[in-house]
Structure formats: structure tokens, C-alpha cells
């Protein structure tokens, strides 16, 4: 018996379209109606997916969570991240599937905690992510192995305790080989997670399954395994590119095109740059090269590092069994309090707490918002829009989930 090579649904449709075009050119038009992308089924299955950028809990955010816990009596073990994340909960919680990127290693509830370069973050953030509406998290990043196998174990235990599914790192070979498939409105949606590397740390030779390193062959095999396990749709979270560069690198563009053309992956969600990068439709597949930071407070904020985007993707079943994906976006901003003056006071009208903001929502309800702050929010929205559309995504239908209010 001869084993037939796996051919992705997209590859099969492309082959059909190419055959139809050839037949049409030769006058054999019986298949000339075939198209690369079939029409959407009027009564087909549908779901929405929200995905956002990196979760990086720097020390200033932990201190803010400590202050909030003291003020509200909320949280656990003296930390409450709920107020910091509250601004995006209305968007994240209404998605049928919400995907986060858990960038770093979780520690013990009372610490000690560490920031860059080898993070150990409060596990309380995972509980807040679940409350915010997240369902799953990718965990393959350049920080996954900051504290070795024990760090991976502790991080995944924390996510389990919070009720968050995860993929990208594993505690055993069996866990690594089991596709993450989530039931979404009766559909099976798989998530994959890969990273370019681990800051010079190699995956231990005796634990090759500990974390996923990017390799197109491995990504293809993982998609195949997910399809074999019953996945109706497959989403890839990928850690790639150059930090602080709003434009995707040549490596990102090249790998993105190979993923779009050689696999059946339905959506690519990029991380790592810590700034927003464009979205682009390549051969029918949407690629979000970089969603920026969802929550972070870098030692030297650049303005861009506080800006992020929630990708909102509407999946609709097509006549050929594939998915039509309609993308939208929600610009976000992390409000950062300025440094106090010599007397310990903040400037008049300044932001007083770290808060993650849905900027369009904040501008729709501007009660108490200063003129300067409103201008900052508008800048974040416009700059994010300009970056996202920089590779022609507007022509392929990329739109804001909610428009920027006039003002």
C-alpha cells in the first residue's frame, strides 16, 4: 500500500482552480466555474475569534496591581490585575473564541517576581485573563525557557488552574503531541504555537517536546495532526520578526507566504515585535504579522510599545468546506502615569494609573477625558490603522470593529 502525501484543503482548492483555468484555456470549459475561493454558505456555520498581543507583566504593572488590590480589597495574595485589564473586557468577552499570548514564565503568588530579561510574573494575571474572556493562550515565545523545565511546568499549571487552555510548550511528550482543539459553537478549532528561538537557550536534548521551535515541516505536521483529530479550522500563533520594527522582516514575509501557500492553516497571528505590524491577505489567508503589546510597561516606553491591537476575525463557512475570514481591528493603548515631580506629585490632569484602554470606546464616552488625552488616543488609533493597512489590507476588507468617533 502506498501512502499518499497530505494535501491541505487550500492546496486542493488551488489545484482545482489551476485545473479549471487550464481547461478553460484549452476550450474544455466543463470545470471553468471553479474558483480559488468559493462563496459563503448562506446557512453555513460561523464563529468569531479575538486575538491580542503580548502579555508582558513588567514590575510597574505588578506594583499597580498591588495598589489596586489595596484600594479595592480584590484580587488574590495582594494583587489585582482586573482593573488594569477592564478596558478590553467588553470586546474580548463577546468573541466566541478569544486567544491570548502568554509571553513569560509564571511564578508563585507572592513572588519573588522578575522583569526583563528573564521574567517571573505573578500567576494572578492568568485569573484576570480568564475573567477578561480569554479561552486559550499561546505559550511559545523567546521567554518560554527563561527558567527551564520547571518554569514551563509552573506556567502551564497556573494556566490550568485559571481555566485557560494552552499550546506551544508542554510538560510531557504526550501533552506536546496532543493537538489543542477547542469546541466553539459545535465546531472544533485548533490552535498551534511556535517561536523562532529562546534567547540563546536550547531545548533540552532529553526534553525535545518542552517548547515548539519554528520549522515549516513541524507546522505542517501539527496542522495535519489537528485535522486528523477532527479540527474544522486551524489557527497558528507564531513568535517571529524583529523587536520594535513596525514593518515585517523579510523572514516574516517569506515564511508567511509559505504558510499561506503550503498549508491549510486558516489564520496566522503574529507576536514578538512589541509594536503593531501590518495585516495582509496572502493567497486567501489572513496574516497578522504583529499585534503589538496587549499589556506591557517597558523600561523605556517608546509610544509605540504602549499601542496594540485586538484582531477580530469573523469565520464563515464556504461552499467548498473552507472558511471565509473577515478581519476587523480594535486599537488599544496602555495608559502610563508619568514620573512624579520632586515632591512626589503628578502633573495636573495626568494619568494616575496603568490602564489598558480600548481607544475608540474611550473616545465614544469621553466624560472627564482631557483634550490632551483624547489627542493621544486619536494618535494611537490613527497610527495603528495606518500600520495595519500598510500592505494593502484595506482593499481586501480590513476595517475597524468600531470606527473612530468624530471629534
Amino acid at each position: 500500500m502506498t501512502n499518499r502525501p497530505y494535501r491541505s484543503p487550500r492546496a486542493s482548492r488551488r489545484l482545482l482552480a489551476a485545473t479549471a483555468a487550464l481547461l478553460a484555456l484549452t476550450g474544455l470549459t466543463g470545470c471553468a466555474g471553479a474558483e480559488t475561493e468559493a462563496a459563503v454558505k448562506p446557512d453555513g456555520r460561523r464563529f468569531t475569534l479575538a486575538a491580542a498581543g503580548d502579555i508582558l507583566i513588567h514590575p510597574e504593572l505588578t506594583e499597580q496591581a498591588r495598589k489596586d488590590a489595596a484600594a479595592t480589597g480584590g484580587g488574590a495574595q495582594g494583587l489585582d490585575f482586573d482593573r488594569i485589564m477592564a478596558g478590553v473586557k467588553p470586546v474580548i468577552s463577546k468573541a466566541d473564541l478569544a486567544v491570548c499570548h502568554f509571553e513569560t514564565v509564571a511564578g508563585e503568588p507572592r513572588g519573588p517576581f522578575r522583569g526583563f530579561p528573564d521574567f517571573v510574573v505573578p500567576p494572578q494575571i492568568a485569573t484576570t485573563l480568564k475573567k477578561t474572556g480569554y479561552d486559550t493562550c499561546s505559550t511559545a515565545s523567546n521567554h518560554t525557557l527563561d527558567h527551564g523545565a520547571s518554569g514551563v511546568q509552573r506556567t502551564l499549571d497556573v494556566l490550568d488552574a485559571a481555566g485557560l487552555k494552552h499550546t506551544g510548550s508542554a510538560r510531557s511528550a504526550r501533552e506536546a503531541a496532543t493537538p489543542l482543539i477547542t469546541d466553539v459553537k459545535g465546531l472544533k478549532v485548533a490552535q498551534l504555537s511556535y517561536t523562532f528561538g529562546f534567547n540563546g537557550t536550547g531545548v533540552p536534548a532529553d526534553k525535545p517536546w518542552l517548547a515548539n521551535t519554528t520549522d515549516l515541516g513541524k507546522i505542517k505536521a501539527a496542522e495535519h495532526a489537528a485535522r486528523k483529530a477532527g479540527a474544522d479550522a486551524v489557527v497558528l500563533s507564531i513568535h517571529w520578526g524583529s523587536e520594535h520594527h513596525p514593518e515585517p522582516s523579510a523572514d516574516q514575509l517569506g515564511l508567511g507566504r509559505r504558510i499561506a501557500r503550503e498549508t491549510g492553516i486558516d489564520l496566522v497571528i503574529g507576536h514578538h515585535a512589541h509594536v503593531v505590524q501590518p495585516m495582509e491577505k496572502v493567497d486567501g489567508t489572513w496574516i497578522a504579522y504583529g499585534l503589538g503589546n496587549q499589556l506591557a510597561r517597558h523600561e523605556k516606553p517608546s509610544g509605540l510599545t504602549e499601542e496594540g491591537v485586538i484582531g477580530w476575525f469573523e469565520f464563515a463557512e464556504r461552499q467548498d468546506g473552507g472558511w471565509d475570514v473577515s478581519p476587523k481591528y480594535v486599537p488599544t493603548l496602555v495608559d502610563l502615569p508619568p514620573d512624579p515631580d520632586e515632591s512626589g506629585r503628578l502633573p495636573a490632569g495626568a494619568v494616575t494609573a496603568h490602564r489598558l484602554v480600548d481607544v475608540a470606546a474611550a473616545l465614544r464616552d469621553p466624560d472627564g477625558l482631557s483634550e490632551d488625552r483624547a489627542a493621544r488616543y486619536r494618535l494611537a488609533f490613527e497610527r495603528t490603522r495606518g500600520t495595519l493597512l500598510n500592505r494593502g489590507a484595506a482593499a481586501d476588507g480590513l476595517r475597524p470593529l468600531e470606527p473612530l468617533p468624530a471629534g
Side-chain angles (χ1 to χ4, degrees), residues 12-382:
S12 297
R13 292 194 296 274
R14 191 175 293 115
L15 178 61
L16 177 62
T19 302
L22 179 61
L23 291 173
L25 286 172
T26 58
L28 302 175
T29 58
C31 295
E35 296 178 302
T36 303
E37 292 189 23
V40 171
K41 281 186 179 181
D43 57 347
R45 300 172 295 177
R46 297 170 183 265
F47 70 94
T48 56
L49 183 151
D54 302 352
I55 302 291
L56 281 167
I57 305 303
H58 291 92
E60 293 85 352
L61 296 173
T62 299
E63 183 57 30
Q64 181 67 64
R66 184 172 288 112
K67 292 178 181 177
D68 288 341
T72 66
Q77 283 85 36
L79 296 177
D80 183 2
F81 288 95
D82 292 1
R83 295 181 71 187
I84 299 175
M85 293 284 297
V88 300
K89 184 174 181 178
V91 175
I92 298 299
S93 62
K94 74 178 180 180
D96 296 316
L97 177 65
V99 176
C100 95
H101 179 60
F102 202 85
E103 172 95 1
T104 53
V105 175
E108 299 295 336
R110 295 192 181 276
F113 307 123
R114 298 172 67 170
F116 181 83
D118 53 348
F119 289 83
V120 179
V121 305
Q124 292 92 325
I125 183 61
T127 302
T128 291
L129 292 174
K130 182 65 176 179
K131 288 181 181 178
T132 303
Y134 283 105
D135 303 294
T136 74
C137 293
S138 54
T139 59
S141 83
N142 56 309
H143 291 290
T144 303
L145 301 183
D146 277 359
H147 299 278
S150 62
V152 170
Q153 170 90 37
R154 190 168 58 247
T155 301
L156 301 187
D157 288 350
V158 163
L159 295 176
D160 283 344
L164 290 165
K165 297 182 178 181
H166 46 80
T167 185
S169 55
R171 292 161 289 200
S172 68
R174 181 177 180 180
E175 183 175 41
T178 303
L180 172 60
I181 298 179
T182 304
D183 186 277
V184 182
K185 297 176 68 174
L187 293 160
K188 294 183 182 300
V189 182
Q191 183 188 1
L192 315 178
S193 172
Y194 286 80
T195 180
F196 66 90
F198 307 103
N199 293 340
T201 300
V203 179
D206 62 337
K207 295 181 176 68
W209 36 261
L210 194 61
N212 293 340
T213 306
T214 300
D215 175 274
L216 185 59
K218 292 178 181 178
I219 292 171
K220 289 180 180 180
E223 186 218 346
H224 189 189
R227 300 285 185 188
K228 188 176 180 180
D232 298 296
V234 180
V235 175
L236 170 65
S237 297
I238 187 164
H239 213 71
W240 60 356
S242 301
E243 290 185 335
H244 308 293
H245 285 257
E247 284 302 309
S249 67
D251 286 345
Q252 281 176 279
L253 295 175
L255 180 56
R257 275 149 179 72
R258 292 198 66 187
I259 291 168
R261 293 165 181 166
E262 298 179 28
T263 79
I265 288 167
D266 299 289
L267 174 66
V268 179
I269 302 166
H271 301 285
H272 177 60
H274 304 307
V275 296
V276 176
Q277 294 183 323
M279 292 189 192
E280 184 179 22
K281 193 175 187 180
V282 177
D283 284 11
T285 302
W286 277 100
I287 301 174
Y289 288 104
L291 298 176
N293 287 326
Q294 166 91 135
L295 182 61
R297 204 294 185 190
H298 293 267
E299 183 179 1
K300 296 181 179 179
S302 69
L304 297 180
T305 53
E306 295 89 87
E307 297 172 4
V309 65
I310 300 170
W312 181 271
F313 303 96
E314 298 170 354
F315 284 67
E317 189 178 15
R318 295 200 308 251
Q319 298 283 3
D320 63 0
W323 296 98
D324 179 83
V325 180
S326 298
K328 295 182 173 62
Y329 60 90
V330 179
T332 64
L333 179 74
V334 180
D335 268 336
L336 304 183
D339 293 330
D341 61 22
E342 292 181 358
S343 65
R345 291 177 296 188
L346 296 176
V351 170
T352 59
H354 295 81
R355 296 290 184 255
L356 177 57
V357 179
D358 173 343
V359 295
L363 289 167
R364 286 195 299 272
D365 185 17
D367 187 36
L369 192 64
S370 71
E371 183 178 338
D372 288 347
R373 205 66 210 150
R376 177 66 181 97
Y377 290 173
R378 289 185 177 278
L379 172 63
F381 192 105
E382 295 286 10

